[in-house]
Amino acid sequence: NIGYKGEIHLVSRSLTELDGRKAVASVSDLPDGIDLAVLTLPGAGIIDAVESLALKKLGGIMCFASGFAEMGASGAAAQQRLTEIAHQHDIAFAGPNCLGYTNLVDGHQVTFSLVRAPASLPTNLKVDIICQSGGMAAVLRIAAASEGIGFCYAITTGNEAVLGIEDYMPFAIENEQSRAIVMLAEIIRRPAEFLRHAEAARAKKKPIILLHLSRSQQSREAAKTHTGALAGDYDIMASFVRSRDVVLVETLDELMDVMVTLAHYPAPPKGALGVVTDSGACKGFSLDYADAVRMPVASLTKETRARLRATVPEFVEAVNPVDVTAQAMFDPGLYTKSINALMLDDGVGGVVASIISGSPEVGLTRSGFIADGKVDNGKPLLCAFMGGDQAVDPQVKPTLAQKGIPFFRSPERAIRALARASQYGDALRKGARRKSSIKVAAATMPAAGGALTEIEGKAALKAAGVPVPKGALAKTLSEAKAIASKIKYPVVLKAQSAALTHKSDAGGVAVNIKNAAELTNAWKTMQRDVKKARPDLTLDGILVEKMGKKGLEIVLGARRDAAWGPTLMIGLGGVFTEALKDVRFLPADSHPSVIAAEVMQLRGAKLLGAFRGEKPRDVAALADAAARVGALMFATPALDDIDVNPVIVFAEGEGVVAVDALLVGG
């Protein structure tokens, strides 16, 4: 009990009282209108109990029992029955297979986990925890407490027969006592609702930090047996939640580290990374790791460099990262002076002090000098002690915490946490996400579903404003020659049939045809090869198309995801797609400027710039084409997939052209 003063009713077949409270023998003996019924029964008795409780006009039910959707078909059927009863009687049903919740805002908890209200944590450093996993909610509570962070709500949702993480988000968003929302999920069951709440959190400048499991196929299978989750595609989920500025992390360590950092600094200021260290090697790998996590390293101003030169020994180079060298063993005030100088630099948004811990006594001394370097200007200062499991004086954390300095045991964790926090701060400053305003005409899809021919698909793309090569459909060789003469050689031939989606496999593509003689030979060869490969197939004709000039190949696609809706995919073509899977996903209504920025996050993005004598590519035209493909998905509800592979991107100002296209309906 953490302060709950309301009435509690007990139901027991074997007891008449417990701890001085009267117990009744059955649910029928309970009064109507109870706010919450807590079921501490094995799974086999749950459905009968819920059916009886439903007649009592109660508000909600908490069910801890396992043995439902996480156990396969029979368990899923039992869980579905719980869902039906709850919906029929308008009951807020929590669980099954959950650990309940703790509510320190109103002073009550319903859980079988031992939770005590924190006694002496700073009132302004609190988070809210929402997890599908009960065990992980407990881990996050413990982790927060170990770093001096309290919590207001710690909620577990389990199998989510009725209530899911989305139902609890508004309480956390509106909670003025917490600084951040920490979430762990195996699946987001109601994506549209989740995104709507995420936008509300963003408007209130309350960060949501999310660890979403089920990235690998093995993890997705495990999710089915843990919380009954049917996990969706991770990359698509990631693109949508990031578009609403949810801080998506990849590991449990990162979840805890970012939780601590954003609890201290929920809206980090603009600026790049500053590092103070006492190791030349750490200086080097700080630069490497910052690059790996996309955290820019600040170039110091003349004033900062002058300040450093005036306060540190001559052999300490006045650059960032600042290496105070082993001289700090004799003059620990170097930590204070260097940190102070970086924190006062306008180009530095946050500082990581990455220090060799030394003995417990030495580490405590150094922590004091680090804390003294902190400037109260809103910029984060994070401290990392290097030394593995080297013992640390128990006063180190409190010494740093008094100045609002999170403590880590590796510079990588500190730099990564600051990077994620800074990226969130940058997103807040950019304003609400930009949506495309492009509107296009709907494509005409086959009534029975299936694919359009390439020429039909390109007609739909052209109508949407996506450039395609000049060309036309020929049913005879003479028609093909006339088309080629009109659009000028060299040309490409492509066999056309809605049933022939992989033309190359059947000999249905011929390229770089330079004259009429080559055209005649290619036409006859294609007719023969396609007939041999697909004797059952009757071609609509052969597309004669202008051979495109050389450029950079890009793969562009869109799909109607069952959970998240229309989604864009864009990446580098050729080997980058097949071998490296260098692609990015975005919501299909993304603004061209957002698409362009995302394209430049590709691992091979250097190829889009001035590279090896090539001019920069027309990224703006590529982004516009991608936005139009996205608009076509919204305009055509019957359209399930678009595959434009490749799109050729020419030099800046010269545009793009969609060389191949496949549009498929449901």
Side-chain angles (χ1 to χ4, degrees), residues 348-409:
V348 175
V351 177
V352 171
S354 182
I355 309 301
I356 298 172
S357 62
S359 68
E361 297 81 8
V362 169
L364 180 58
T365 299
R366 290 175 177 174
S367 69
F369 282 99
I370 291 165
D372 288 343
K374 179 79 159 58
V375 177
D376 190 17
N377 58 3
K379 294 183 180 181
L381 172 59
L382 282 59
C383 179
F385 270 16
M386 298 180 287
D389 290 334
Q390 165 73 25
V392 174
D393 190 287
Q395 289 304 307
V396 165
K397 277 190 179 181
T399 298
L400 296 168
Q402 288 175 3
K403 290 291 188 74
I405 304 171
F407 179 71
F408 301 86
R409 290 311 305 264

Side-chain angles (χ1 to χ4, degrees), residues 209 247 249 253-262 265 268 273 289 293 295 352 380 382 406-408 410-424:
I209 312 156
V247 184
V249 299
D253 282 346
E254 189 179 2
L255 181 65
M256 295 186 290
D257 296 343
V258 177
M259 169 181 71
V260 172
T261 304
L262 284 175
Y265 306 101
L273 171 68
Y289 194 71
V293 295
M295 179 67 179
V352 171
L382 282 59
F407 179 71
F408 301 86
S410 80
E412 292 93 341
R413 289 180 67 168
I415 291 170
R416 182 178 60 187
L418 183 57
R420 298 292 175 258
S422 296
Q423 289 154 5
Y424 172 74

